[in-house]
Amino acid sequence: MTNTPRVKICGLSEVRHIQVAAQAGAAYIGFVFFAKSPRNLTIEQARVLALEVPAGVAKVALVVNADDAVLDRIVDAVPLDMLQLHGSEAPDRVAEIRTRYGLPVMKAVGVADEGDLPALAEYGRVADQLLVDAKPPKKAALPGGNGLTFDWRLIAGRRWPVPWMLAGGLTPDNVAEAIRLTGARQVDVSTGVETAPGVKDSQLIRSFIEKATEA
């Protein structure tokens, strides 16, 4: 890990935004495979987009409680560098997916209060990376991408067995503060660079990456 925070732009659905993110210095590009999300892609759409991602930028597939049949289709068709598990996958399932596909796995863990922190250590034993996200409200349709933050002081100065990424309600306006408060070396954004659900904005993408990498 370099000292400059690494940025993941998630939920991309247009080639032009992939190009903008890559040129601005994004380290990861995220594709969403979750039918309820306004950022959902078909496997064919994702394949076309993934082939446009420049070398050196990691291509990440976000899935939610996906079974092997779904993952088989995604991994067979889309050139990927990482799987992001954003559902209620148990640690055993995380380990199983990691072994089956031979790809690094990032596990998202929702945080709302101190009681959510032990799960990070537990998943840190089986995943390659952790995504520390804001816990969705009880009746939320989406497990992430809700534009919510959590109290960043909860994780300030904490460390886990694997690299981790901060997510949840980050925007160009608050990402520098979030990095300062948490010590995050990686950050993830989706709704914070959109003008409407699922509609990315080139200037917001550039601004987010600039603010994050300067922090």
Side-chain angles (χ1 to χ4, degrees), residues 14-205:
E14 294 184 56
V15 170
R16 65 192 174 113
H17 293 140
I18 288 172
Q19 292 167 342
V20 166
Q23 285 161 6
Y28 305 84
I29 298 288
F31 301 122
V32 175
F33 298 91
F34 184 56
K36 292 180 182 175
S37 171
R39 302 160 196 96
N40 183 52
L41 297 174
T42 65
I43 290 173
E44 188 46 47
Q45 285 172 325
R47 176 179 168 75
V48 170
L49 292 170
L51 291 170
E52 296 289 338
V53 178
V57 180
K59 300 173 291 293
V60 183
L62 184 160
V63 296
V64 179
N65 300 324
D67 61 21
D68 287 349
V70 169
L71 288 170
D72 285 352
R73 289 200 299 275
I74 293 171
V75 171
D76 286 349
V78 186
L80 293 169
D81 300 297
M82 181 177 283
L83 294 170
Q84 178 179 328
L85 309 182
H86 218 106
S88 54
E89 300 91 356
D92 286 356
R93 176 63 176 151
V94 175
E96 186 182 288
I97 289 171
R98 193 167 170 255
T99 301
R100 181 178 173 94
Y101 298 101
L103 285 169
V105 171
M106 181 188 300
K107 178 67 182 97
V109 178
V111 172
D113 56 45
E114 196 103 15
D116 298 315
L117 299 180
L120 287 161
E122 190 178 0
Y123 283 107
R125 289 193 283 272
V126 290
D128 296 279
Q129 295 206 39
L130 295 168
L131 184 82
V132 186
D133 200 359
K135 201 173 198 173
K138 283 220 169 11
K139 292 186 177 170
L142 304 177
N146 292 298
L148 300 172
T149 59
F150 63 96
D151 183 352
W152 295 319
R153 292 168 298 186
L154 283 169
I155 60 166
R158 291 181 185 265
R159 293 292 173 266
W160 293 284
V162 292
W164 61 281
M165 188 178 285
L166 180 67
L170 297 178
T171 68
D173 294 333
N174 69 12
V175 66
E177 182 194 6
I179 289 169
R180 280 196 297 272
L181 280 174
T182 62
R185 306 311 310 151
Q186 305 191 101
V187 289
D188 174 90
V189 67
S190 186
T191 56
V193 291
E194 292 179 348
T195 53
V199 182
K200 293 291 188 282
D201 179 87
S202 295
Q203 191 46 48
L204 289 174
I205 291 171

